[in-house]
């Protein structure tokens, strides 16, 4: 079959909601888009462990420490599922990791902000995981089989993370004046970066149209951002604090909350490597990778030994 027919069949499968699997035909641009998105997503999970790990040793109780440890471990697991999904597209994990460490690959802008207080751990759970879920639940229906299946498990764990974050904030909201101030300050700092997680406005998003045609994305960046604002603007009432946006108001006609302008200069600055913690994050990630080299070497040596033993026992 020639490429034109193959591409026609491919799009028909997608239109009929039939999953594309690793050995199926796929246009090169579809493969590239998936490698780009899934690898950026995997990197985000791995780099996303760093801001939280800052608080593992300083969690206010054993229960909080256990919860946070489990969450950070989940994120490592998400990274691994996603790197594996990406490998089904014919790229190897080492080269993806190399691109990240050389500063050539993107990861979510949100993880370049500092975690200054314990309330930030709650805010990350509630807002950052909340934004991640809003964006990732539709990815469970992504047209590419391995990515969609990885996302089902990831989303279940992310929902737990979000509840854990909200519970931390709820506890602070019922605490002392100082704790309430810490809570408000944290939400003030994380709100706008959370909105930026959804990516640029649709008019400035070069990939959305194609990704929606291929059913990699099911909703545009602005559609998901709006859904998120609508949910959070209601949930915050329970915490008895406010979002740092004087323009936030319910619009009866639209049936949505209106919200103020996003600082896109800040967003592109952070994406470009100039956020408050970009350099620290990359330094910590590369150091952790280098320190873990002996574990990877040992695992490879063990696998080789087992393979040799198996070959010898087969031959004898
Ligand atoms: N940060 O045309 P679009 C998490 C880039 S996981 C940095 O709109 P697209 C779990 C974009 O890559 C969070 N760069 O692109 C957790 C593209 O650059 P390129 C990560 C961004 O792909 C929680 C350019 O801008 N989630 O939080 C960002 O159609 C708590 C043009 O943008 C995912 O990765 C950004 N925020 O839409 C862990 C979900 N936004 O490649 C620890 C999967 C955009 O041309 C603690 N990804 N860019 O050089 C997606 O859904 C999509 O890739 C979007 C972007 C929606 C992020």
């Amino acid at each position: 079959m020639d490429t034109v027919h193959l591409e026609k069949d491919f799009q028909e499968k997608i239109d009929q909601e039939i999953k594309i699997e690793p050995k199926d035909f796929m246009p090169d641009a579809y493969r590239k888009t998936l490698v780009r998105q899934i690898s950026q997503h995997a990197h985000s999970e791995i780099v996303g462990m760093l801001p939280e790990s800052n608080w593992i040793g300083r969690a206010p109780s054993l229960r909080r420490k256990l919860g946070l440890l489990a969450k950070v471990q989940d994120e490592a697991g998400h990274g691994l599922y996603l790197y594996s999904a990406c490998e089904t597209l014919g790229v190897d994990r080492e080269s993806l990791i190399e691109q990240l460490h050389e500063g050539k690959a993107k990861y979510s802008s949100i993880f370049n902000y500092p975690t200054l207080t314990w309330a930030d751990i709650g805010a990350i759970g509630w807002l950052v995981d909340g934004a991640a879920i809003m964006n990732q639940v539709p990815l469970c229906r992504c047209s590419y089989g391995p990515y969609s299946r990885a996302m089902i498990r990831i989303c279940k764990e992310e929902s737990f993370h979000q509840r854990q974050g909200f519970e931390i904030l709820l506890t602070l909201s019922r605490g002392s004046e100082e704790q309430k101030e810490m809570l408000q300050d944290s939400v003030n700092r994380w709100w706008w970066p959370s909105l930026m997680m959804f990516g640029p406005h649709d008019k400035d998003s070069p990939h959305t149209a194609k990704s929606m045609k291929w059913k990699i994305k099911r909703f545009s960046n602005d559609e998901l951002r709006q859904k998120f604002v609508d949910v959070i603007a209601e949930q915050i009432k329970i915490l008895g604090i406010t979002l740092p946006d004087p323009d936030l108001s319910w619009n009866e006609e639209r049936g949505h909350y209106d919200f103020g302008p996003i600082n896109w200069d800040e967003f592109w600055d952070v994406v470009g490597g100039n956020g408050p913690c970009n350099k620290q994050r990359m330094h910590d990630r590369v150091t952790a990778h280098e320190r873990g080299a002996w574990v990877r070497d040992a695992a490879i040596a063990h696998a080789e030994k087992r393979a040799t033993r198996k070959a010898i026992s087969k031959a004898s």
Side-chain angles (χ1 to χ4, degrees):
M1 222 192 280
D2 61 32
T3 315
V4 176
H5 283 98
L6 284 168
E7 289 195 359
K8 190 169 161 279
D9 281 1
F10 164 83
Q11 189 61 48
E12 276 172 12
K13 260 171 116 175
I14 288 183
D15 295 342
Q16 291 165 28
E17 301 289 339
I18 299 170
K19 295 277 181 239
I20 306 298
E21 296 297 338
K23 288 186 179 157
D24 293 346
F25 168 83
M26 61 184 86
D28 219 37
Y30 176 82
R31 186 188 300 275
K32 276 195 186 135
T33 295
L34 282 170
V35 170
R36 181 185 63 77
Q37 177 166 325
I38 303 173
S39 62
Q40 287 177 1
H41 193 168
H43 298 328
S44 303
E45 296 282 357
I46 299 298
V47 178
M49 295 160 72
L50 296 171
E52 293 176 309
S53 65
N54 182 30
W55 280 91
I56 291 174
R58 292 184 285 157
S61 70
L62 180 61
R63 176 173 166 258
R64 293 297 188 200
K65 190 195 282 259
L66 287 172
L68 183 55
L69 261 175
K71 179 180 194 279
V72 173
Q73 281 176 355
D74 283 352
E75 278 144 14
H78 298 174
L80 297 185
Y81 307 154
L82 290 164
Y83 283 127
S84 298
C86 210
E87 283 184 309
T88 66
L89 291 156
V91 286
D92 69 282
R93 191 179 305 196
E94 283 71 28
S95 66
L96 296 175
I97 291 173
E98 216 172 275
Q99 284 167 20
L100 173 70
H101 292 177
E102 286 172 0
K104 292 182 191 152
K106 288 195 172 76
Y107 59 89
S108 186
S109 49
I110 192 80
F111 301 118
N112 294 305
Y113 291 87
T115 41
L116 304 178
T117 67
W118 171 250
D120 289 1
I121 297 305
I124 289 179
W126 180 45
L127 296 175
V128 177
D129 284 278
I133 295 166
M134 195 56 88
N135 165 271
Q136 291 173 20
V137 167
L139 292 175
C140 298
R141 293 190 292 125
C142 162
S143 58
Y144 187 57
Y147 191 25
S148 73
R149 291 189 285 274
M151 289 317 303
I152 292 170
R153 183 150 176 189
I154 291 176
C155 283
K156 283 187 185 154
E157 293 177 352
E158 301 281 29
S159 319
F160 180 71
H161 296 171
Q162 194 197 17
R163 277 173 225 167
Q164 178 185 250
F166 191 76
E167 202 252 337
I168 291 174
L169 299 185
L170 194 61
T171 306
L172 292 174
S173 77
R174 292 169 179 163
S176 65
E177 276 315 305
E178 216 179 340
Q179 285 171 317
K180 286 179 196 164
E181 272 168 32
M182 189 165 82
L183 161 65
Q184 181 69 66
D185 167 67
S186 174
V187 169
N188 288 351
R189 284 181 290 106
W190 288 93
W191 173 243
W192 292 106
S194 299
L195 292 191
M196 294 173 195
M197 280 179 76
F198 293 92
H201 276 318
D202 294 350
K203 65 175 173 45
D204 302 317
S205 163
H207 302 300
T208 293
K210 259 287 163 67
S211 287
M212 288 190 56
K213 181 171 179 242
W214 286 329
K215 298 192 179 173
I216 295 172
K217 281 168 100 162
R218 298 275 174 165
F219 297 96
S220 75
N221 300 354
D222 286 333
E223 284 169 339
L224 291 172
R225 190 170 10 248
Q226 179 71 62
K227 278 173 185 252
F228 179 68
V229 173
D230 291 346
V231 168
I232 298 296
E234 287 299 315
Q235 286 181 355
I236 199 160
K237 293 176 184 168
I238 303 169
L239 296 175
I241 55 165
T242 53
L243 289 169
D245 181 357
D247 295 330
L248 186 81
S249 65
W250 178 250
N251 183 325
E252 194 65 51
E253 210 175 300
R254 291 200 311 122
H256 290 291
Y257 275 91
D258 288 337
F259 55 99
I262 293 171
N263 183 347
W264 293 112
D265 290 340
E266 175 183 325
F267 171 74
W268 290 116
D269 230 28
V270 175
V271 173
N274 301 313
C277 299
N278 295 58
K279 286 179 186 66
Q280 185 191 336
R281 298 287 181 249
M282 267 314 100
H283 171 266
D284 292 350
R285 181 84 283 284
V286 172
T287 307
H289 190 72
E290 284 167 357
R291 286 194 183 145
W294 70 271
V295 180
R296 293 189 297 279
D297 290 347
I300 291 167
H302 180 63
E304 281 170 356
K305 231 189 221 172
R306 283 183 63 149
T308 313
R309 261 194 233 132
K310 213 170 165 187
I312 292 170
S313 76
K314 238 185 186 174
S316 59

